[in-house]
Amino acid sequence: MSATNEMAPPDARTAVAARAFGLSKVYGEGDAAVRALDDVSVDFERARYTAIMGPSGSGKSTLLHCMAGLDTPTSGQVFIGDVDLTMLSEKALTLLRRRSVGFVFQAYNLVPTLTAAENITLPLDIAGDDPDGAWFDVVVDAVGIRDRLSHRPAELSGGQQQRVAGARALVTRPEIVFADEPTGNLDSRSGHEILEFLRSAVKDHGQTIVMVTHDASAASFADRIVFLGDGKVVDEMLEPTTERILDRLKSLEG
Amino acid sequence: MFRAAIRSLLARKVRLILTGLAIVLGVGFMAGTFVLTDTMTRAFNDLVDTGYAPIDVLVRSSNAFTAQTSSLEERDPMPESVLKDVDAVPGVAKANGDVVGYAQIVDPKTGKAIGTFGPPTAASGWYQGNGFTLRPGGSPPQGPDQTVIDAASAKTHDIAVGDRVQILFEGPPREFEVVGLAGFGDSDSLFGATWAMFDLATAQDVLGKQGKLDTISVVAEPGVSAVALQRSISEVLPKGVEAVTQATVVSEAQDQISTGLGFLRTAFLVFAFVSLFVGAFIIFNTFAIILAQRTRELALFRALGASGRQVMTSVLVEAFVIGVVSSAIGVLAGIGIAILLKGALNATGFDIPASGTVILARTIVVSLIVGTLVTMIAAFVPARRAARVAPIEALREAQDRPGRSLRFRIVAGLVVLVLGVAPLLYGLFGTPSNGLQLVGLGVALTFVGVAMLTPLIARPVAAAIGLPVRLTGVPGKLGRENSMRNPRRTAATASALMIGLGLVVFVAVFGASAKASTTAVLERTLKADFILISPTLTGFSTSAAEDARAVPGVDTVSQVRQAEAKIEGGTAFVTGLDPGTFPVVSEVDAVQGRVEDLANPNSIAVFDDTARENDWTVGDTIPVEFPATGSTSLRVVAIYSENGLIGDYAISLDTFDVNVANVLDVFVLIKADEGSDVAAVQADLEKALSPYPNIEVDDQAGFRDRYATLISQVLNLISALLLFAVIIALFGVMNTLYLSIYERTRELGLLRAVGLTRRQTRSMVRWEAVIVSVMGALFGVVIGIAFGWALQQALEPEGFSELGIPGGQLAVYVLLAAILGVLFAIFPARRAAKLNVLEAISYE
């Protein structure tokens, strides 16, 4: 894996790949209103691995969805690079997702009727672009899925499926990759493989990754952890370790 | 994205097949119709070509126009002397005179007259070059005792050379020895017509044309052109007689063939379109379900950056592929269907030459285009819905997404409904030139509008239908709840059945109304005790009435005839009756003038609605154009209000005979003496009429029943053709259920895990099918009655005074729908029961 960064950021000078500014998301109305996010402002630095943690109901998934342009906030702004997502039309958002954003979900990442290789190149096919052969090889070898490229998802194990998803997320060399509980359905070894891959994408290729997780050991792979509670940012931690995370989680719950 | 579309198609082959089946059947029917009528056209045209090939010029009486409905040509005969004049024309190598007229051969074994609905029964002279070719083992007829008959009649009724047969004519019947059998060209008969041939003198005698000829066929000397000969012959012909080239005769015949087959083709195509319409509903439903199931996959595409348009296009590509492949298979199926239809028509008496099947490029192209278009149009709305899937749904559980707002649906549905009802009513009650197309369009849109609105009432209706089902136990209760849970889905499935059954019910209601109206008319107007009529409703010899008069106990015998004429530019039917005797046997109810005045020469009586439309009153003169004699002026002497038996125009028998070439009675009304034993008189009548096997003696009840049976037969034929559409609809029910099993895999797994047995699972699916089918049938009954009522109201002036609703029959249909629903649910039910419980509950 070479150390060169081969990305095309819209503005290479900003150190922030994405940010939320005064983000709020409210479901329902009146007495039944639920504030999933309450005036959240947070930056995600470029070429960094950030994890978002919190108990269920803390709004971590909602934050991720808003950051990724999958959900629209009730108020506030979301930026990817210099682009304000809340100002974009449906069509522009779609194009943004095509080029600038990568996704790894907890489950159902792959199209069941396509092979692993086709799933990996799917975003490029949608855009009508040809895959960069050299980069494709890099990504495929990084996740270690080369021997299964012609297999359908049904023929792959959970870990292998997530690895294919990971390769797909990076094949377009996006601005930022959003991962929503990527290890949620996996055993610990497969989970670690994915997390290793994600971290090396950051370290070796300067990729930016934002991951939501409830698993402390998964979060320990990140450079920085943002803790959410009741829709607000309640804490941050740099250089995390599993023990420190567990301690912090306990104290937050207490 | 193409690749994904194709892959997803191939992934689920069973779904693909079920979806495509609807189109295959509809396109098959359409292609089959084209192939059949094209084949028949080519065969008949070839036959006509061969038949007329030997002659160059034909001499015949000119006619004012060609009547579409008479089986025999309506032309007055010409004097025999014309033959001498024609023969003398230079360039004529041979001239043969001929006569032609009504005749029916009696089957010697059964004693019944040969002849069915459709092809004519005729007799003519025999000569070399009349188109018929003698089969080996026979000889041409000579003398008053010999006849040659068509080979088809001989084959069907086991008549051989040497047998004696009785033959009926306009005049008295006679017996002959069969000395030969003849075919026409390659065929055993001329389009299924029965034909008896005699030597010219005998033919003139039996057809009542002594000293006259109907046609002269002329063969030209070598080197003489037909056109030149036609011109020179025309110069020696008297007024009212014309000469035409063989080419003209052939093209006239071919025009008539194409008009006749055109009607047949249109009729069949209507049914084909009905099938395709139902198929469209199935496609719509199937795509909606499949796309709902693929929500997460589609959302994933959207999350990865596919635009809504790309998603919609990929769905339409799937629809395109399904459409093209199904249509192609449909064309092949259609050829098979054509062969079946040909057999069916042969069975009803038409004799279609066994020539090769004609498959025109037009058939293939139109079938492919229509089938594909229908599929794509049907898939359009589901495709658009798929395009609107939001990317975030990739993260959600597959659930039933909330549809568009209720208000939108109500408004849209009402708009479409109005768009449908308006042309329908206008087409029925207004008098537009393209009424049929307007009605067809109106019906289609009305169905769509109703289908859009039925989801609003689907839930309460399903609940109501399911009330008794609930009492059968847990599976019934679950089945009922399943049918209530997604009213849009349930209504869409039921809609396909609603259309098929709606049309069947419409036909049944219309038929019942026709029967009721006919009965009402007859009860109101018929005073006769007996009616003489031919079972095939064709005319019969007038001497039968003479023989009836001689029967003791018979008081009045009144003959009725019918002919086609042109009045006020349109085709009309004119009835000939005896003004003296008719009012005795039937109510006429003259509102102006007197029917008895028809005895005055050149008089006519008119139905009051018709008179009002044309602003006629007693004393007016109206021009009436008869095919054989041209235009004649008739004076209106009466206006009557009961037109059930005699139609809109009536003239005296004398006026009729003067203007019509083929004089046959169409029925004869007989009143017995007061106080006589009616049964005895009937027996005596039957004995007196035994020489006429083609005539039956009906009493009043029998006559009413005869019409009722006739109507039933036509209805059954139409219903059978509509059955196609119903079957397609039932396949749709099966399809929907099958797909919904996949959708509810998790839930089914849960039910099984918690203790529902396999049998109970199957039962639950079957109950759901029953409820949906019954719902579709009930909707169909309602809309069918509505359409039937509309048509009956529109045709009230034509005599459809009563609305009949065959309750028993309709109840049977609903029951049948329920049973068939269960049958078609067997396959999905088994699928549901076979689910592996563990896999099901972890199904993603």
Side-chain angles (χ1 to χ4, degrees), chain B residues 701-749:
Chain B
F703 190 60
R704 279 200 297 271
D705 290 341
R706 178 183 299 280
Y707 271 99
T709 314
L710 201 66
I711 293 171
S712 296
Q713 283 175 339
V714 173
L715 288 189
N716 288 343
L717 181 64
I718 297 180
S719 299
L721 289 171
L722 284 175
L723 204 63
F724 227 67
V726 174
I727 303 245
I728 295 179
L730 284 167
F731 269 112
V733 171
M734 174 162 87
N735 208 11
T736 308
L737 280 177
Y738 190 76
L739 292 172
S740 70
I741 303 296
Y742 273 105
E743 205 172 46
R744 291 189 248 142
T745 303
R746 285 252 218 114
E747 178 191 320
L748 282 168

Side-chain angles (χ1 to χ4, degrees), chain B residues 3-283:
Chain B
R3 205 180 357 206
I6 307 297
R7 278 310 168 68
S8 81
L9 265 185
L10 296 175
R12 299 256 189 253
K13 300 220 178 51
V14 176
R15 286 202 306 214
L16 195 64
I17 293 173
L18 286 182
T19 312
L21 196 63
I23 296 294
V24 168
L25 290 175
V27 169
F29 204 139
M30 184 168 88
T33 303
F34 281 129
V35 169
L36 180 71
T37 49
D38 289 340
T39 306
M40 282 169 71
T41 306
R42 164 95 58 91
F44 288 156
N45 283 346
D46 285 349
L47 202 61
V48 166
D49 260 338
T50 340
Y52 284 113
I55 70 167
D56 294 301
V57 175
L58 188 72
V59 176
R60 63 189 184 194
S61 304
S62 44
N63 64 357
F65 65 92
T66 307
Q68 284 294 350
T69 53
S70 46
S71 350
L72 301 166
E73 282 272 325
E74 271 286 309
R75 289 176 202 267
D76 266 345
M78 66 186 102
E80 208 166 3
S81 52
V82 180
L83 178 59
K84 225 180 339 107
D85 297 335
V86 171
D87 213 3
V89 172
V92 170
K94 200 158 54 126
N96 285 111
D98 196 9
V99 286
V100 69
Y102 160 79
Q104 260 183 298
I105 306 170
V106 177
D107 183 339
K109 310 220 169 31
T110 64
K112 287 198 166 19
I114 297 175
T116 57
F117 296 102
T121 58
S124 70
W126 169 272
Y127 60 93
Q128 274 289 34
N130 71 346
F132 281 91
T133 33
L134 204 54
R135 293 282 157 86
S139 53
Q142 284 174 326
D145 194 45
Q146 297 190 343
T147 181
V148 166
I149 63 175
D150 68 283
S153 303
K155 246 194 242 176
T156 325
H157 298 273
D158 213 12
I159 304 173
V161 173
D163 288 347
R164 292 194 73 81
V165 288
Q166 191 184 41
I167 302 185
L168 312 169
F169 303 100
E170 274 182 37
R174 288 213 339 215
E175 216 183 64
F176 300 86
E177 180 193 346
V178 176
V179 298
L181 307 177
F184 194 90
D186 283 331
S187 222
D188 281 341
S189 71
L190 176 60
F191 304 152
T194 73
W195 216 278
M197 287 164 278
F198 315 93
D199 70 17
L200 186 59
T202 314
Q204 286 171 313
D205 188 26
V206 295
L207 294 176
K209 298 188 179 177
Q210 295 86 341
K212 301 220 184 74
L213 294 173
D214 283 312
T215 61
I216 302 176
S217 321
V218 179
V219 180
E221 293 199 351
V224 179
S225 83
V227 178
L229 193 58
Q230 181 241 345
R231 256 184 271 132
S232 28
I233 292 180
S234 302
E235 284 162 19
V236 309
L237 295 178
K239 198 149 105 69
V241 181
E242 65 181 10
V244 288
T245 58
Q246 175 244 32
T248 310
V249 176
V250 165
S251 86
E252 276 175 6
Q254 290 178 337
D255 280 344
Q256 276 203 303
I257 291 169
S258 85
T259 310
L261 284 177
F263 286 134
L264 194 68
R265 175 182 305 142
T266 307
F268 276 142
L269 279 181
V270 167
F271 291 107
F273 278 125
V274 167
S275 300
L276 277 173
F277 189 61
V278 172
F281 266 83
I282 309 292
I283 300 279

Side-chain angles (χ1 to χ4, degrees), chain A residues 65 70-71 90-91 94 97-98 103 105 108-115 118 122-123 125-126 152 168, chain B residues 1 3-4 7-8 11 294 296-298 300-310 391-392 394-395 844:
Chain A
H65 297 164
L70 294 175
D71 202 356
E90 172 67 42
K91 181 87 187 173
T94 304
R97 285 200 298 276
R98 227 182 254 184
F103 292 102
F105 301 121
Y108 204 83
N109 275 288
L110 308 178
V111 178
T113 51
L114 299 178
T115 63
E118 288 162 346
L122 188 53
D125 288 337
I126 289 173
R152 298 261 163 86
R168 181 194 68 213
Chain B
M1 286 231 47
R3 205 180 357 206
R7 278 310 168 68
S8 81
R294 280 168 54 194
R296 286 186 89 175
E297 181 184 318
L298 295 170
L300 183 63
F301 278 116
R302 296 279 284 128
L304 296 179
S307 68
R309 169 121 42 99
Q310 281 176 307
I392 196 162
L395 300 155
E844 285 291 341

Side-chain angles (χ1 to χ4, degrees), chain A:
Chain A
M1 297 192 213
S2 82
T4 50
N5 296 353
E6 289 168 321
M7 297 180 301
D11 187 348
R13 292 160 307 186
T14 47
V16 172
R19 67 201 291 242
F21 193 72
L23 201 60
S24 295
K25 178 76 183 178
V26 182
Y27 294 108
E29 288 175 342
D31 285 344
V34 172
R35 294 204 141 247
L37 291 177
D38 194 358
D39 198 23
V40 170
S41 294
V42 61
D43 289 351
F44 296 101
E45 292 159 352
R46 198 177 289 290
R48 285 283 207 249
Y49 192 164
T50 314
I52 305 176
M53 293 195 76
S56 49
S58 57
K60 56 186 192 295
S61 285
T62 314
L63 177 60
L64 193 81
H65 297 164
C66 286
M67 293 299 312
L70 294 175
D71 202 356
T72 40
T74 316
S75 62
Q77 291 168 301
V78 174
F79 292 89
I80 292 191
D82 274 344
V83 180
D84 184 352
L85 260 54
T86 54
M87 301 265 85
L88 290 184
S89 68
E90 172 67 42
K91 181 87 187 173
L93 259 180
T94 304
L95 289 174
L96 187 88
R97 285 200 298 276
R98 227 182 254 184
R99 299 266 146 88
S100 313
V101 179
F103 292 102
V104 181
F105 301 121
Q106 178 173 0
Y108 204 83
N109 275 288
L110 308 178
V111 178
T113 51
L114 299 178
T115 63
E118 288 162 346
N119 266 294
I120 293 175
T121 57
L122 188 53
L124 297 169
D125 288 337
I126 289 173
D129 292 337
D130 291 319
D132 177 348
W135 182 239
F136 178 82
D137 287 336
V138 165
V139 160
V140 163
D141 290 327
V143 296
I145 203 79
R146 186 165 287 281
D147 55 337
R148 310 290 264 176
L149 277 180
S150 58
H151 290 203
R152 298 261 163 86
E155 297 157 342
L156 303 174
S157 71
Q160 288 165 334
Q161 287 180 24
Q162 289 301 71
R163 286 192 262 158
V164 170
R168 181 194 68 213
L170 289 173
V171 82
T172 56
R173 288 194 253 211
E175 279 282 292
I176 183 166
V177 173
F178 291 104
D180 189 354
E181 305 271 9
T183 60
N185 282 5
L186 303 178
D187 61 272
S188 57
R189 200 182 66 178
S190 311
H192 278 216
E193 280 174 2
I194 291 289
L195 296 165
E196 279 291 352
F197 164 69
L198 291 175
R199 187 157 72 178
S200 71
V202 173
K203 293 287 175 274
D204 300 328
H205 301 282
Q207 209 60 71
T208 311
I209 299 193
V210 176
M211 175 178 77
V212 160
T213 183
H214 65 277
D215 180 350
S217 67
S220 68
F221 281 73
D223 300 318
R224 164 175 167 244
I225 303 185
V226 174
F227 291 91
L228 288 188
D230 290 327
K232 294 190 182 33
V233 176
V234 293
D235 202 355
E236 257 191 46
M237 182 190 291
L238 297 173
E239 313 290 318
T241 66
T242 312
E243 293 91 22
R244 285 178 62 206
I245 297 170
L246 286 171
D247 283 339
R248 190 65 60 87
L249 283 175
K250 236 191 318 181
S251 68
L252 283 172
E253 265 168 62

Side-chain angles (χ1 to χ4, degrees), chain B residues 2 35 67 115-116 166 193 197 202 213 268 323 347 389 403 454 473 479 509 526 571 591 612 643 659 736 774:
Chain B
F2 256 28
V35 169
T116 57
Q166 191 184 41
M197 287 164 278
T202 314
L213 294 173
F268 276 142
V389 167
T454 43
V509 166
L526 202 58
T571 308
V591 294
R612 214 173 314 133
N643 70 340
N659 285 296
T736 308
V774 168

